[in-house]
Amino acid sequence: MKQESYDIYIGHALTRASDAFKERVTVFKAELAKRRIHWNILRFFGLGPSPKDGAIYTFDISQVKRAHLVVIICDEESLGAGQESGVALEGEIKVPVLFVAHRDWERTRMVTGPAEVYPNRVLFRRYKDMSEIEGFIEEAIAYFEAKLGMSLLDYKYRQLHSLDQVRILNPGFMQEAPIYAGTPDPKKVWDELAEIERKNPVLAGRLL
């Protein structure tokens, strides 16, 4: 049986996160990528030397929009991860979101609430050990596909196709609603950042 290839974006605290948390997440993501070779764990720009802030924002948001599933690890506070989940939930391209947190994490309703508002596109789960998140991702994919009545790949394709039709059939609309006109081209952003990495080898280890 063929396994679908999903693009999965895992967002979490970084700038103000503890070293211990960052280490746990780094290990988890690396092990996940090894075990689930059919899951493409999308990267985002890390800490340290980097291009302009606007390039970082554009790249990370383009990765969120590219994803079939966004996973937000909520254990430590992150304005960036909050923005990313907002883009996934409310943007022109909707992306299902799985929020996860340690069982001792103090609840915030801005994380637990979306599952009540968007039951077809949001799940919230608590874990004892971070390794459990892998099973939650598998559960989330099956859950969202059952709720949506189609694969997550088809869900993304249909949304992109609909936006393309809007652009083709209603060119004037794009100027009236500029939010639809500024969707970053992931390939272009990737090429720009690859060139930055080529010129600045120190960045080689900064893409997580």
Side-chain angles (χ1 to χ4, degrees):
M1 180 178 178
K2 180 183 176 182
Q3 292 181 313
E4 298 284 13
S5 179
Y6 297 99
D7 291 336
I8 300 175
Y9 184 89
I10 302 178
H12 53 83
L14 193 61
T15 302
R16 296 175 179 82
S18 66
D19 289 340
F21 173 76
K22 288 185 286 189
E23 177 63 22
R24 287 198 303 274
V25 172
T26 298
V27 170
F28 165 70
K29 290 167 68 174
E31 290 299 317
L32 183 67
K34 289 178 183 178
R35 285 195 301 272
R36 301 283 187 159
I37 59 175
H38 57 292
W39 290 354
N40 179 27
I41 308 303
L42 300 177
R43 302 187 296 174
F44 60 79
F45 230 90
L47 302 175
S50 63
K52 293 181 179 180
D53 292 353
I56 300 302
Y57 172 82
T58 299
F59 176 75
D60 287 358
I61 294 302
S62 73
Q63 293 290 75
V64 171
K65 293 182 177 182
R66 171 184 171 184
H68 298 107
L69 175 69
V70 168
V71 180
I72 302 294
I73 304 176
C74 308
D75 297 3
E76 299 198 15
E77 294 182 3
S78 171
L79 293 174
Q83 277 188 294
E84 291 163 354
S85 64
V87 168
L89 293 174
E90 307 289 354
E92 71 271 22
I93 300 174
K94 304 293 189 294
V95 185
V97 177
L98 168 65
F99 291 105
V100 296
H102 189 268
R103 63 180 183 177
D104 296 330
W105 171 78
E106 186 176 353
R107 180 176 71 106
T108 170
R109 285 171 284 191
M110 289 301 289
V111 167
T112 56
E116 296 181 11
V117 178
Y118 304 113
N120 292 346
R121 293 191 287 116
V122 181
L123 277 179
F124 172 74
R125 293 289 183 267
R126 288 184 181 272
Y127 67 86
K128 180 179 180 181
D129 185 88
M130 194 169 281
S131 63
E132 296 173 47
I133 297 175
E134 179 179 349
F136 294 151
I137 293 174
E138 194 168 36
E139 174 197 358
I141 291 172
Y143 173 85
F144 291 136
E145 291 188 336
K147 287 290 187 180
L148 295 168
M150 66 185 78
S151 74
L152 295 186
L153 279 68
D154 286 342
Y155 183 59
K156 173 59 63 66
Y157 173 80
R158 292 189 185 192
Q159 291 187 83
L160 292 173
H161 181 71
S162 295
L163 283 176
D164 286 342
Q165 289 301 306
V166 169
R167 292 187 175 98
I168 293 170
L169 300 177
N170 302 280
F173 175 75
M174 302 316 298
Q175 302 198 2
E176 296 173 17
I179 186 174
Y180 291 101
T183 303
D185 179 349
K187 184 180 185 306
K188 181 180 179 182
V189 176
W190 267 111
D191 291 343
E192 291 175 354
L193 291 177
E195 180 65 12
I196 290 169
E197 282 193 292
R198 187 185 67 78
K199 294 179 179 178
N200 301 273
V202 72
L203 293 181
R206 301 297 184 181
L207 279 171
L208 302 182

